[in-house]
Amino acid sequence: MKKKMDTSEAFLRCFHAFTSPMSLDVYLDDVLYIKDLLYEDFSYYEPLTRGEHQIYITVHEQTDILCTRSIWISNEKIYTLIITTDFKTSGPGLYLINDAKRPIPEGHCLLRLGTFCDLSDLVNVQFSEQTPTFKKISPHQSSHYLSFTPSTYSITALSHDQTHSFCELKNCSLKVARIYTLYLIGNTSETYPIHFLLSIDGSSF
C-alpha cells in the first residue's frame, strides 16, 4: 500500500494465483486497473467506489478476455480479488474475499487460511505439529481469522482425512499487530508446486 488507508473508503487489490507464466492485466469497468501482474504477485490496495463493477482480465498487452465477473463493493470494506484456476473451465477464474478490518487482540496477530490451489479436496492445516488449526477448508474458500501468539511456526497442509501431508512451510514468522492470510496455491506439477504464501492484509499492511 502506497499510503495509510482511509478505512472509510473501500479498497481492492488483486492476487495472481493462476499457475501460468503469463503476466496479466486487470480491467475495471473497461479501464486498465492493474497491469503486468505476475504469478504470486499482489497489486497495491487501490480505492474503489461503492457499487457494482465489471472486472475482466487479459494477458498483458493483449485484447482477448480470459475471464470476467461482476463484483459488488461496499463502503468501508477491504477486498482481495484472487485470480486462480476455475475448475469448470481449467482457465482462470476470479474470486473475491473480504480482508479483515477489526481490532487485533493486544499482543497477538490474526491469521486465516485461503485455499486457492488446484486441489478439489478439503484441506486441514496444522501449526508446529499440533492438532489441525484449520479444518476442512473448501477449495476457493478462506477460513475465519484466528488469533495467534507472535512466534515462528512450522506449518503443514494435510489431506482432509489427515492420512498424508502434501505441503510444508518451515520457519514462518508471525509478528504482533499484523493481519495475515496464509494462501495455499499451485498445482501438482513440478513447475508450479503447491506451496504456502503468506500475505499481510488490509489495514495492517
Side-chain angles (χ1 to χ4, degrees):
M1 188 177 310
K2 296 177 182 177
K3 60 189 178 76
K4 184 72 174 177
M5 263 189 184
D6 176 0
T7 52
S8 66
E9 297 181 276
F11 284 84
L12 174 73
R13 68 175 176 178
C14 293
F15 173 35
H16 185 343
F18 181 62
T19 50
S20 167
M22 301 181 299
S23 65
L24 301 176
D25 292 340
V26 181
Y27 287 82
L28 176 72
D29 300 327
D30 294 321
V31 176
L32 182 61
Y33 186 63
I34 296 159
K35 66 177 181 179
D36 202 16
L37 190 64
L38 295 171
Y39 179 62
E40 297 186 334
D41 280 354
F42 291 82
S43 69
Y44 288 108
Y45 284 100
E46 299 289 352
L48 193 59
T49 58
R50 178 182 180 275
E52 187 175 12
H53 297 274
Q54 296 295 322
I55 296 269
Y56 66 84
I57 63 171
T58 68
V59 176
H60 179 52
E61 295 185 336
Q62 296 187 21
T63 58
D64 290 344
I65 296 174
L66 299 178
C67 64
T68 184
R69 71 165 286 182
S70 174
I71 61 173
W72 177 265
I73 298 297
S74 299
N75 282 342
E76 302 184 5
K77 296 286 188 178
I78 306 169
Y79 301 92
T80 295
L81 183 74
I82 300 154
I83 307 165
T84 191
T85 302
D86 183 331
F87 293 145
K88 293 181 180 179
T89 67
S90 298
L94 301 173
Y95 301 86
L96 187 69
I97 60 174
N98 288 355
D99 294 348
K101 181 190 167 189
R102 70 185 197 193
I104 302 170
E106 185 175 356
H108 288 73
C109 60
L110 298 176
L111 183 143
R112 67 178 171 182
L113 176 70
T115 57
F116 292 92
C117 58
D118 290 4
L119 291 180
S120 58
D121 294 331
L122 302 178
V123 172
N124 294 334
V125 169
Q126 67 183 26
F127 282 64
S128 299
E129 299 183 356
Q130 300 174 0
T131 57
T133 306
F134 299 101
K135 297 180 180 180
K136 297 183 178 180
I137 306 302
S138 300
H140 296 163
Q141 298 291 326
S142 59
S143 70
H144 296 295
Y145 285 97
L146 300 180
S147 179
F148 281 79
T149 301
S151 186
T152 300
Y153 294 89
S154 293
I155 305 170
T156 304
L158 304 166
S159 59
H160 70 281
D161 58 5
Q162 301 183 47
T163 58
H164 69 277
S165 62
F166 60 88
C167 182
E168 186 175 13
L169 177 64
K170 296 182 178 180
N171 301 318
C172 178
S173 179
L174 302 182
K175 298 181 179 180
V176 69
R178 291 290 179 90
I179 302 173
Y180 297 99
T181 297
L182 182 65
Y183 288 97
L184 195 60
I185 65 171
N187 58 28
T188 55
S189 71
E190 293 183 1
T191 306
Y192 302 102
I194 294 173
H195 62 287
F196 288 113
L197 191 152
L198 186 67
S199 164
I200 301 173
D201 293 352
S203 55
S204 77
F205 189 92

